[in-house]
Amino acid sequence: MTVECPAPRHEDEVVLLGHGAGGRLTAELLDTLVLPALGGAPGPLEDAALLPGRPELVMSTDGFVVSPLFFPGGDIGSLSVHGTVNDLAMRGAWPLALSVSLIMEEGLPLTELRAVAASLGESAQRAGVPVITGDTKVVGRGAVDRLFVTTTGVGKRHDGLCPSAAAARPGDAVLLSGPVGLHGTTVLSTREGLGFESAIASDTRPLHRLVRALAPLGGAVHVLRDPTRGGLAAALNEIARDSSVAVEIEERAVPVPEPVSAACDLLGLDPLVVANEGCLVAFVAPAAAGAALDALRSLPEGAQAVRIGEVAPRGPAGRVTLRTLVGARRIVDMPLGEQLPRIC
């Protein structure tokens, strides 16, 4: 009888937390496994998709597994609404309707479920988008971590607004609607009891009204992106890659709140890779940069909008470069894996 030893099991044969981080591992999983299985067409992976035959309509879906369920500034209910509304907005769309699916663990206190449902409903009402359908499932203890939420949204694009991750052009101004790092550091601090949550709160909020304010600029708005998983670093690298351009940003121009900077220094994190849920990145034609900033600053959610860089007239396609405070330059890489798991 021949005895054969089992083949060694490699890490790349199982799903890792890093596959959900929005960085290089996520891209590899999608490119090599998910998209080929679904017959996905090559091209940029946008925050939302245009409906076939109805290009004025946009659709997006997202799953939310944030831990803990409640954190300063928000909870999984409000986050699920804001995340899907924002994904629609990044394709230049106004939200029309949402669907919601709840997967609940046996033993979840009804007080927590009631609080999440109330927050979800209130957030949808404040955003002006109805929840028109949904589903609920209950699984055994340990099958999920208390509560997972999936939201799907449909929106209608503003006339003349056609942003795409592949549409950045040399000379474009790179604008940021607000400070970075608040959501990720708040969730991490709350989960791990680090104490920073007393000084900061998640920036989770809907951004569709900001996009509506930009709509009169029409074709001058080339790219819109909300830097969620993987933070600003991932968003800029995706745009640089999909548009085949070189992007340069100024470190001194990127607004990082002091508590976020302190938390990142303590934990060894780069604020550029920390997730956000309430700001957007816009690439606009240089002649429209001033008008775009005025439009963003006209609303409370864009009051701190700034210009952080530009698309270089030349340079290695797909590269993002940071001009540091001391005048040096460093490459901002696409995050590899998961530094902050379960933050959205």
Side-chain angles (χ1 to χ4, degrees), residues 3-295:
V3 177
E4 295 184 0
C5 293
R9 189 177 186 87
H10 299 291
E11 279 194 333
D12 60 2
E13 294 177 334
V14 299
V15 174
L16 307 174
L17 272 176
H19 283 120
R24 277 184 281 169
L25 285 178
T26 300
E28 290 175 7
L29 183 69
L30 293 174
D31 290 343
T32 63
L33 193 154
V34 177
L35 293 177
L38 300 179
L45 297 180
E46 307 279 7
D47 286 329
L50 310 185
L51 265 65
R54 296 290 301 274
E56 77 280 9
L57 296 180
V58 175
M59 183 175 179
S60 181
T61 192
D62 207 344
F64 296 86
V65 298
V66 64
S67 176
L69 298 181
F70 304 90
F71 46 86
D75 57 77
I76 194 171
S78 59
L79 186 66
S80 65
V81 171
H82 299 162
T84 299
V85 166
N86 293 346
D87 282 347
L88 296 172
M90 295 309 103
R91 295 307 307 275
W94 185 264
L96 297 178
L98 297 176
S99 73
V100 174
S101 173
L102 304 176
I103 301 179
M104 299 162 280
E105 181 186 19
E106 178 189 15
L108 175 72
L110 286 179
T111 54
E112 293 188 5
L113 179 60
R114 188 174 293 112
V116 169
S119 176
L120 194 155
E122 291 168 3
S123 298
Q125 290 176 11
R126 285 195 296 269
V129 55
V131 177
I132 62 170
T133 189
D135 186 37
T136 58
K137 292 290 190 298
V138 178
V139 297
R141 294 176 186 268
V144 300
D145 186 0
R146 301 168 71 190
L147 175 67
F148 293 165
V149 181
T150 298
T151 47
T152 299
V154 175
K156 184 176 182 180
R157 293 166 64 194
H158 297 283
D159 290 341
L161 203 55
C162 307
S164 169
R169 304 170 188 170
D172 277 358
V174 181
L175 312 181
L176 182 67
S177 69
V180 299
L182 286 166
H183 178 72
T185 50
T186 298
V187 171
L188 179 65
S189 182
T190 304
R191 183 165 63 219
E192 304 299 335
L194 302 179
F196 290 104
E197 68 272 16
S198 62
I200 55 177
S202 170
D203 61 344
T204 177
R205 56 188 167 188
L207 301 172
H208 58 310
R209 294 185 178 94
L210 280 183
V211 174
R212 181 175 61 183
L214 292 172
L217 299 177
V221 180
H222 298 156
V223 183
L224 295 172
R225 201 79 163 194
D226 59 335
T228 53
R229 293 181 301 169
L232 185 60
L236 293 177
N237 270 280
E238 288 169 352
I239 295 165
R241 176 198 65 204
D242 293 340
S243 298
S244 297
V245 296
V247 177
E248 294 186 357
I249 61 172
E250 295 276 357
E251 183 177 15
R252 68 177 69 252
V254 178
V256 181
E258 183 57 37
V260 171
S261 179
C264 288
D265 285 345
L266 177 66
L267 299 170
L269 298 173
D270 183 347
L272 297 183
V273 307
V274 178
N276 314 274
E277 291 290 347
C279 67
L280 63 81
V281 178
F283 284 56
V284 301
L293 280 174
D294 289 342

